[in-house]
């Protein structure tokens, strides 16, 4: 990769990561809108119906990581994947609300999540490519900040469409509401336009002649791609190996939150989690502003954490955030009125802001620059694998172990989040405080 990376100003770092706004708006829409519930799915089936994201991430991101490390094109190494993924994501978002059945929604979700994952993996590597070491922390935490902002808007969009624009909140059983359809179409536009803005305003750095020769000499083909993935796994830095336990616990916990947030709120406040009832739709519309608030806190917290991570280290900072998040998830199902839930949602936002930023600071400090893409892809496998474990286990433990109550699933996730806090403290060799200057151009 090119040497002598220029210092970037804060506005330019924000512009290079603006694509995360559209990318994460897409993920936020999937979390905020219980489409499978609207189409009549049973609660116990929610985990496996959402398997598209982790399954495609597990397969797609490592492959794209290796391919983008080895791509030589007029557009750069990462940019072709940004464009392909953004187009696929926009198509999936446009088509999803027209789903007439669970099978149709399940199939479109695969298209949507393949596109998301094709874009996301090189986007993480792009930060490492483009920024000097002392600016990487702000780069990754700005991605976390845009994640919070995007998901804030995604969670709030149904509520805003209903309350401000008068979109009907009434829907026939088995039909996706109009406010969900309009929100997905807004997401389709954002997904493409924000990616285009990022790559136009802050293009990739040109490779040196030495780097181009090194990449050109690498073997081609799928066989060599898989060989590189397995070789990178064997040679994985110890700090990254230790992060696997942290990822297992924290992402299983977040899956509990995403799958059972709306049913849990509905049970706590209205005594039902039946997706066909008016009470469930009320809980869904209420959870929208709550989710927006939690993501707004994540947006603010992510940028606030940048100087803290430089001073105290990303490892300790992340552990503290996970402790607060775990206790919030345990307490939330016990609430039977709105005000305490808002406070706990704010604490959840603190943890979410950390989850989407601090682990990548730890990782970037532990991996070799020439393998940034493949290691970012492998790290995503550590995110997707817990999601697949969740999909494969929650269906079977939901009723016999958790009593068929979504509130118990949420509390169980809180316990796992505390386990993640313990695991992160075992990480050595990553996330140490970096130089404290954030240079501006």
């Amino acid at each position: 990769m090119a040497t002598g990376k220029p210092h970037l100003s804060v506005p330019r770092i924000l512009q290079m990561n603006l694509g995360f706004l559209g990318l994460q708006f897409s993920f936020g829409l999937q979390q905020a809108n219980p489409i499978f519930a609207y189409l009549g799915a049973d609660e116990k089936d929610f985990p496996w119906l959402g398997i598209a994201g982790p399954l495609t991430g597990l397969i797609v991101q490592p492959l794209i990581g290796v391919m983008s490390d080895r791509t030589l094109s007029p557009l750069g190494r990462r940019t072709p994947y940004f464009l392909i993924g953004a187009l696929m994501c926009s198509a999936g978002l446009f088509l999803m609300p027209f789903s007439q059945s669970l099978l149709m929604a399940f199939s479109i979700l695969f298209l949507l999540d393949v596109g998301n994952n094709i874009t996301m993996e090189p986007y993480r590597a792009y930060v490492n490519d483009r920024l000097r070491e002392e600016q990487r922390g702000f780069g990754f935490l700005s991605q976390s900040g845009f994640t919070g902002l995007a998901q804030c808007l995604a969670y709030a969009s149904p509520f805003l469409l209903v309350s401000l624009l008068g979109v009907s909140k009434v829907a026939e059983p088995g039909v996706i509401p109009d406010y969900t359809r309009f929100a997905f179409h807004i997401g389709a536009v954002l997904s493409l336009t924000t990616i285009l803005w990022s790559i136009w305003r802050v293009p990739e750095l040109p490779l040196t002649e030495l780097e181009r020769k090194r990449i050109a000499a690498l073997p081609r083909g799928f066989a060599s791609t898989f060989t590189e993935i397995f070789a990178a796994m064997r040679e994985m830095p110890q700090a990254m190996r230790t992060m696997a336990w942290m990822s297992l616990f924290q992402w299983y916990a977040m899956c509990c939150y995403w799958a059972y947030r709306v049913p849990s709120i509905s049970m706590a406040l209205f005594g039902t989690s039946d997706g066909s009832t008016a009470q469930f739709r009320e809980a869904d519309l209420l959870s929208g502003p709550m989710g927006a608030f939690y993501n707004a806190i994540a947006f603010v917290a992510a940028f606030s954490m940048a100087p803290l991570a430089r001073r105290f280290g990303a490892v300790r900072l992340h552990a503290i955030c996970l402790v607060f998040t775990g206790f919030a998830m345990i307490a939330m199902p016990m609430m039977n009125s709105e005000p305490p839930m808002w406070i706990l949602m704010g604490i959840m936002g603190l943890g979410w802001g950390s989850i989407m930023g601090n682990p990548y600071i730890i990782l970037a400090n532990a991996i070799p620059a020439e393998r940034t893409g493949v290691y970012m892809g492998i790290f995503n496998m550590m995110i997707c694998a817990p999601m697949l474990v969740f999909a494969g286990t929650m269906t079977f433990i939901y009723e016999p172990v958790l009593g068929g109550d979504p509130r118990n699933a949420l509390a169980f996730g809180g316990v796992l989040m505390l386990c993640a806090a313990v695991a992160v403290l075992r990480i050595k060799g990553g996330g140490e405080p970096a130089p404290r200057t954030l240079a501006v151009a």
Side-chain angles (χ1 to χ4, degrees):
M1 191 180 61
T3 58
K5 301 177 190 177
H7 287 290
L8 293 187
S9 65
V10 169
R12 292 200 72 199
I13 294 176
L14 295 179
Q15 287 185 80
M16 72 177 284
N17 287 310
L18 183 65
F20 245 64
L21 181 71
L23 185 63
Q24 292 296 333
F25 191 86
S26 169
F27 280 115
L29 288 174
Q30 296 177 49
Q31 298 161 16
N33 294 274
I35 283 181
F36 293 123
Y38 290 140
L39 295 175
D42 292 332
E43 286 176 17
K44 65 181 179 62
D45 294 328
F46 288 171
W48 73 262
L49 285 170
I51 201 173
L55 185 60
T56 56
L58 189 71
I59 297 170
V60 170
Q61 288 215 26
L63 293 175
I64 296 298
V66 176
M67 291 167 65
S68 70
D69 278 346
R70 300 180 173 200
T71 293
L72 292 173
S73 81
L75 294 175
R77 286 194 295 174
R78 319 296 181 185
T79 301
Y81 304 98
F82 293 162
L83 295 174
I84 293 169
L87 288 170
M88 293 177 66
C89 180
S90 293
L93 287 168
F94 181 80
L95 294 172
M96 176 63 81
F98 293 112
S99 299
Q100 301 294 312
S101 65
L102 286 173
L103 179 60
M104 183 176 178
F106 184 71
S107 301
I108 294 173
L109 187 59
F110 269 89
L111 170 67
L112 173 56
D113 283 334
V114 167
N116 277 333
N117 281 293
I118 288 175
T119 302
M120 179 173 285
E121 197 291 325
Y123 223 126
R124 299 291 193 188
Y126 175 48
V127 170
N128 233 26
D129 293 346
R130 200 66 173 79
L131 298 179
R132 293 189 174 194
E133 183 177 352
E134 67 269 19
Q135 292 190 301
R136 285 180 197 156
F138 184 76
F140 286 119
L141 285 169
S142 67
Q143 288 188 347
S144 177
F146 278 123
T147 297
L149 178 60
Q151 296 197 3
C152 172
L153 296 173
Y155 275 78
S157 56
F159 174 80
L160 294 175
L161 288 167
V162 170
S163 61
L164 298 183
L165 299 182
V167 177
S168 175
K169 64 180 180 181
V170 177
E172 296 294 324
V175 176
I176 296 172
D178 285 343
Y179 59 78
T180 296
R181 178 163 55 89
F182 293 147
F184 270 73
H185 289 167
I186 292 169
V189 174
L190 276 178
S191 178
L192 185 58
T193 55
T194 57
I195 290 288
L196 290 175
W197 180 268
S198 289
I199 60 180
W200 174 55
R201 295 297 297 163
V202 190
E204 293 185 63
L205 291 174
L207 296 171
T208 63
E209 188 60 31
L210 182 63
E211 275 294 320
R212 295 184 67 85
K213 288 180 179 179
R214 183 187 65 82
I215 294 172
L218 293 172
R220 304 292 172 181
F222 277 104
S224 64
T225 298
F226 284 105
T227 299
E228 169 63 6
I229 292 172
F230 290 124
M233 286 181 175
R234 288 194 305 270
E235 299 161 17
M236 189 185 303
Q238 184 58 42
M240 189 175 174
R241 293 179 185 275
T242 310
M243 292 176 77
W245 287 105
M246 172 202 74
S247 292
L248 172 63
F249 294 129
Q250 75 182 16
W251 287 104
Y252 195 111
M254 289 306 301
C255 286
C256 291
Y257 171 77
W258 291 327
Y260 294 106
R261 171 183 54 88
V262 175
S264 183
I265 292 173
S266 185
M267 280 292 294
L269 298 182
F270 304 113
T272 181
S273 57
D274 185 346
S276 66
T277 63
Q279 291 92 337
F280 184 89
R281 287 194 294 275
E282 286 296 326
D284 182 26
L285 288 173
L286 175 62
S287 72
M290 286 185 175
F293 174 66
Y294 126 89
N295 280 290
I297 295 296
F299 171 67
V300 175
F303 288 107
S304 301
M305 286 179 196
L308 295 176
R310 289 197 304 273
R311 181 172 182 180
F312 300 109
V315 168
R316 281 175 288 181
L317 180 59
H318 189 46
I320 292 169
C321 291
L322 292 181
V323 168
F324 280 107
T325 306
F327 283 121
M329 290 182 68
I330 292 169
M332 196 178 301
M334 304 176 188
M335 304 298 110
N336 55 14
S337 62
E338 285 186 42
M341 285 189 178
W342 284 91
I343 296 172
L344 295 172
M345 281 288 185
I347 297 173
M348 284 287 300
L350 176 71
W352 181 232
S354 182
I355 287 171
M356 290 302 292
N358 282 314
Y360 293 96
I361 300 175
I362 301 169
L363 180 64
N365 290 337
I367 60 177
E370 67 273 11
R371 276 180 160 173
T372 295
V374 66
Y375 276 127
M376 289 289 178
I378 291 171
F379 185 65
N380 192 70
M381 295 173 70
M382 298 180 187
I383 296 173
C384 296
M387 295 180 181
L388 292 174
V389 172
F390 172 81
T393 58
M394 183 55 72
T395 299
F396 301 103
I397 69 172
Y398 183 66
E399 290 179 352
V401 177
L402 301 174
D405 191 327
R407 294 169 294 184
N408 293 338
L410 205 59
F412 177 59
V415 173
L416 294 179
M417 198 65 81
L418 296 177
C419 294
V422 174
V424 76
L425 289 173
R426 298 180 59 248
I427 297 172
K428 306 296 182 185
E432 60 279 345
R436 298 181 61 180
T437 56
L438 179 62
V440 293

